[in-house]
Amino acid sequence: MKPIPLKEGIYWVGEIDWDLRNFHGYSTNRGSTYNTYLVIDEKITLIDGVRPYLFDKMMQRLSSLIDPASIQYVIANHVEMDHSGSLPLIMDIAKNATIVTSPNGQKGLLAHYKRNDWNMKVVQTDEEVNIGKRTFKFFLTPMIHWPDNMVSYLVEDKILFSNDAFGQHIASPERFDDELYLGTVIEEAKKYYANIVLPYSMQVKKTIEKLSSIPIDMIASSHGIVWRSHINNIMDEYNKWATNQTRNKCLIIYDTMWKSTEKIAHALQNAFNHSGIGTKMINLRYNHLSDVVMDVLDARFICVGSPTLNSNLLPTVSAFLTYLKGLSPKDRIGLAFGSYGWGGQSVRHVEDALKECGFDLLESIKIQYIPDETQLQEIYEKIKQEIAKRG
């Protein structure tokens, strides 16, 4: 692929990672991109980078436009190595370049790479750097999703280089939001938010408010497509996610050993459906954690079930609950359920995990051995009553 122009003198020069299927535990079934941007002005500026194994391909694209040694600024919006991993290689070529980063970015880069020979310029919120006809303005966005994060705004062209915010994991030759099916792009943005940004929703809300005062023609994130035609759409979605807006939807998330816990799950499904609440059944044996939490993002009810195995949970359920606690969704209604042979400890473990998440819990359901039709009917009636109380 050739460099792709965003506006006059501004190019995407990143690289597509077609084969990526796992991003630190997050399934990336559509691959991803690492978006590096080049601004050609009196002071040539490179924004973010790629993973080291893609560096040579990025440099071929970059070199078709400029002599890489002539780069004068490298903006490092984020220290995480999918963006900064190629920074040592870039700086070995652009030896006179200055790295522009946040205060925590400087600390992080020095800690990662142990280099004391790099020129660094540390910037604060609202600080500007002029590169000729253009000016960059910076906004610190700590904990979206690392302490070092910042975004860079090209004032004259109204482009927000947003780093991980508004990103998606999509490998595609298309670079813009109006060149792909919008539903797919929003779905991947939702999955990205749920798995990476969700714990920092309060910070996201503050950042959106901060950025609302600046005109934006494009949002150029570090993964996926560039937003130019549907900026309002993604802003609306981020506002929903950041303000924890849920739908009257129920997730029934479980694994089962001899189908007894699954029978309970179906009884719950009937109760929620007949109460006018749409349900989604998710067997953890067949669904990846990162896909499950995408549904958690806007679900009001979260039911989690496991049989008892060795006084504990099935490993799939235990892994899900650990993952869920790390993402810290708030203000959900939870329910623990499960079957057992003689111990029955699994339901208590699920309860404890949902309490740690801060969920408001319905009364748990625990059935010994195989639930019969009478017990399943009792579950159905009980849950319908509980739902009616909640309104």
Side-chain angles (χ1 to χ4, degrees):
M1 285 179 62
K2 296 179 179 179
I4 296 176
L6 274 61
K7 291 192 176 186
E8 184 178 354
I10 305 168
Y11 299 88
W12 174 87
V13 292
E15 184 53 49
I16 302 171
D17 198 341
W18 296 101
D19 298 328
L20 184 73
R21 291 297 178 270
N22 188 290
F23 188 81
H24 49 61
Y26 162 178
S27 68
T28 51
N29 300 323
R30 290 187 169 103
S32 193
T33 60
Y34 304 100
N35 296 337
T36 302
Y37 302 98
L38 179 71
V39 181
I40 300 176
D41 208 311
E42 292 173 24
K43 294 181 179 178
I44 294 173
T45 303
L46 191 69
I47 304 163
D48 294 320
V50 299
R51 296 178 77 163
Y53 64 85
L54 298 171
F55 176 75
D56 289 342
K57 288 186 177 181
M58 184 201 78
M59 288 305 291
Q60 290 173 14
R61 192 169 290 118
L62 185 65
S63 299
S64 71
L65 294 169
I66 61 160
D67 174 3
S70 66
I71 295 170
Q72 289 173 273
Y73 284 123
V74 178
I75 295 175
N77 283 317
H78 182 22
V79 171
E80 195 170 7
M81 287 175 284
D82 53 323
H83 309 298
S84 75
S86 58
L87 185 59
L89 300 171
I90 294 167
M91 296 301 290
D92 285 345
I93 295 170
K95 296 182 184 296
N96 296 317
T98 297
I99 298 169
V100 182
T101 191
S102 68
N104 281 321
Q106 181 187 42
K107 293 175 186 176
L109 291 172
L110 293 175
H112 267 74
Y113 301 112
K114 312 295 191 292
R115 297 286 294 263
N116 57 12
D117 58 331
W118 289 346
N119 298 318
M120 287 194 169
K121 179 176 178 57
V122 175
V123 292
Q124 300 284 351
T125 290
D126 290 329
E127 192 166 342
E128 296 182 349
V129 171
N130 180 266
I131 61 169
K133 297 177 182 177
R134 298 178 174 92
T135 303
F136 276 100
K137 188 172 185 176
F138 301 96
F139 299 89
L140 304 191
T141 56
M143 298 316 301
I144 309 177
H145 59 125
W146 279 26
D148 59 271
N149 277 82
M150 70 178 191
V151 299
S152 306
Y153 177 63
L154 199 52
V155 176
E156 291 77 11
D157 296 279
K158 302 175 185 176
I159 301 177
L160 180 69
F161 296 95
S162 64
N163 196 258
D164 280 335
F166 310 108
Q168 339 84 47
H169 284 305
I170 299 176
S172 167
E174 295 85 7
R175 289 274 54 81
F176 298 99
D177 59 349
D178 47 29
E179 297 174 334
L180 284 172
Y181 174 57
L182 181 61
T184 298
V185 182
I186 293 291
E187 178 184 288
E188 289 297 337
K190 180 180 180 182
K191 184 175 181 180
Y192 193 98
Y193 189 99
N195 282 276
I196 293 179
V197 186
L198 176 58
Y200 315 108
S201 290
M202 185 59 69
Q203 292 91 327
V204 173
K205 183 181 176 183
K206 291 177 181 177
T207 297
I208 291 173
E209 291 169 357
K210 188 186 302 182
L211 296 176
S212 64
S213 62
I214 62 174
I216 299 174
D217 282 355
M218 284 186 184
I219 299 176
S221 65
S222 288
H223 297 290
I225 56 80
V226 173
W227 300 93
R228 66 179 178 187
S229 296
H230 300 290
I231 291 173
N232 288 340
N233 297 76
I234 190 58
M235 284 292 191
D236 287 347
E237 294 299 327
Y238 257 64
N239 270 308
K240 290 177 190 174
W241 302 332
T243 56
N244 197 35
Q245 295 181 33
T246 58
R247 297 190 291 128
N248 211 20
K249 178 176 89 172
C250 174
L251 304 182
I252 301 174
I253 304 163
Y254 69 98
D255 198 350
T256 193
M257 192 184 301
W258 298 111
K259 304 292 185 181
S260 295
T261 298
E262 188 169 76
K263 287 178 183 289
I264 300 170
H266 284 294
L268 294 173
Q269 181 187 30
N270 289 336
F272 278 97
N273 282 344
H274 291 165
S275 300
I277 298 170
T279 62
K280 184 170 183 176
M281 302 285 284
I282 302 174
N283 188 323
L284 290 167
R285 196 173 305 178
Y286 308 114
N287 292 274
H288 196 276
L289 301 179
S290 59
D291 293 315
V292 179
V293 297
M294 180 172 65
D295 282 309
V296 168
L297 188 59
D298 60 0
R300 183 185 178 207
F301 294 92
I302 312 292
C303 305
V304 181
S306 174
T308 297
L309 175 66
N310 299 326
S311 304
N312 216 309
L313 303 168
L314 285 181
T316 50
V317 181
S318 180
F320 168 71
L321 290 170
T322 298
Y323 198 70
L324 185 70
K325 285 188 289 183
L327 292 170
S328 304
K330 304 298 182 189
D331 302 324
R332 305 299 197 275
I333 298 172
L335 170 66
F337 67 95
S339 61
Y340 67 101
W342 61 91
Q345 297 91 339
S346 65
V347 172
R348 177 173 53 79
H349 291 311
V350 175
E351 279 181 353
D352 290 344
L354 296 180
K355 285 177 183 175
E356 282 189 56
C357 289
F359 290 6
D360 181 16
L361 296 189
L362 302 177
E363 185 179 347
S364 298
I365 296 168
K366 184 167 70 172
I367 301 291
Q368 188 174 24
Y369 300 123
I370 302 170
D372 60 26
E373 289 304 318
T374 300
Q375 289 172 310
L376 294 174
Q377 183 64 29
E378 288 173 354
I379 292 169
Y380 170 81
E381 297 294 344
K382 174 183 175 181
I383 294 303
K384 283 192 68 178
Q385 291 173 11
E386 290 278 355
I387 293 169
K389 291 177 186 176
R390 303 283 169 156

